[in-house]
Structure formats: structure tokens, C-alpha cells
Amino acid sequence: MLILALVTLVLHGALAGLFYAFSMSVMPGLNAVEPAQAEAAMRSVNRKILNPWLFVVFIGSPLAALATGLLADAPAAWWFLAAAAVNAVGSFLATVAINVPMNNALDAGTMAWKDYSPRWTTWNTVRTVACLASLVLVGVGLTQL
């Protein structure tokens, strides 16, 4: 149980860090160059980020929290289940419903950088906050094991 809980913690930390890095460095860096360069760079990033390591962290975080919650005894179980729910809504759902469609629009050339960047960054920050909240919930759950 402890190993699964620690894996859950690491996955949530990695995902929170990924989203944080985008909002705090990648997007400001891209905003500092010409829009055409920023669009080209982001299209490349969006293609390269789709790899097995992303999917392990992105899908693994809520699933690991769910599994840990289902296997743990109360009160720890509730903290892990809450982490799974917050991650599923704040990270997974936001990504699928908002960020990925915007990435697709940028890739298709139907959304300009000036429209894409502020909205994408706002929603990415929402994902960051959700993942940080999930990370805290997992941490609290660990103290209850």
C-alpha cells in the first residue's frame, strides 16, 4: 500500500511540475518572441509532448490515486479519492475539453497566438492549481496510512 501511495505522490508531483513549468516559463518565453515563431514552437511542443512518459503521468495520476483510495482504509482512502476526483476534473477534463482543442486549433491555423496564449495559459494554470491541490491531498492521505 505504501509503495502505491508513494507512486501516486510522485505522479502527482511530476504532473503539477509539468503544468507549472509551462505557465511560469514556457508560455512567457514563447510570448517574448514573434507570434509566428511562438506558434511554430508550440506546435512542435504539442507534437513532442505526446509520448508514453506524458501518458504515464497524465493518466497514471488519477488512476493511481483512485486505486490507492480503493485499497486504503479510512480516513486515508477519502484523501486519495478526493485527489483522484480533483485531478480528474481539474487536469484531465480541462485538458480534454479546453487545452487540447485549442492545441488542435493552433495546429490547424484557425487560432492566432494572441488569442491562444492568454486563454491556454489561464487554463493551464487551472490545471496546475488542480494538480497541486491533488498533490496536497495525496500528501495528507499518506499521513493517514
Side-chain angles (χ1 to χ4, degrees):
M1 170 60 61
L2 181 60
I3 298 298
L4 180 58
L6 290 172
V7 168
T8 301
L9 182 73
V10 169
L11 291 171
H12 278 79
L15 190 58
L18 173 70
F19 291 149
Y20 177 81
F22 265 89
S23 286
M24 295 301 139
S25 62
V26 174
M27 296 308 284
L30 292 176
N31 287 334
V33 300
E34 293 297 319
Q37 292 173 316
E39 289 175 13
M42 191 65 173
R43 281 193 294 273
S44 180
V45 168
N46 286 337
R47 289 182 188 118
K48 294 298 182 182
I49 201 167
L50 298 176
N51 65 68
W53 293 111
L54 170 69
F55 294 117
V56 165
V57 172
F58 181 67
I59 296 169
S61 295
L63 291 180
L66 177 63
T68 306
L70 292 174
L71 295 172
D73 294 327
W78 297 111
W79 293 102
F80 287 101
L81 293 173
V86 169
N87 187 294
V89 173
S91 172
F92 187 83
L93 186 61
T95 298
V96 171
I98 299 165
N99 290 86
V100 168
M102 290 179 67
N103 292 345
N104 293 340
L106 185 72
D107 191 50
T110 59
M111 182 174 248
W113 185 256
K114 69 178 180 62
D115 299 321
Y116 174 89
S117 179
R119 184 170 176 231
W120 192 95
T121 303
T122 296
W123 282 100
N124 187 68
T125 302
V126 168
R127 298 187 302 179
T128 303
V129 170
C131 287
L132 289 171
S134 296
L135 180 62
V136 169
L137 292 168
V138 169
V140 173
L142 269 164
T143 69
Q144 303 297 309
L145 288 177

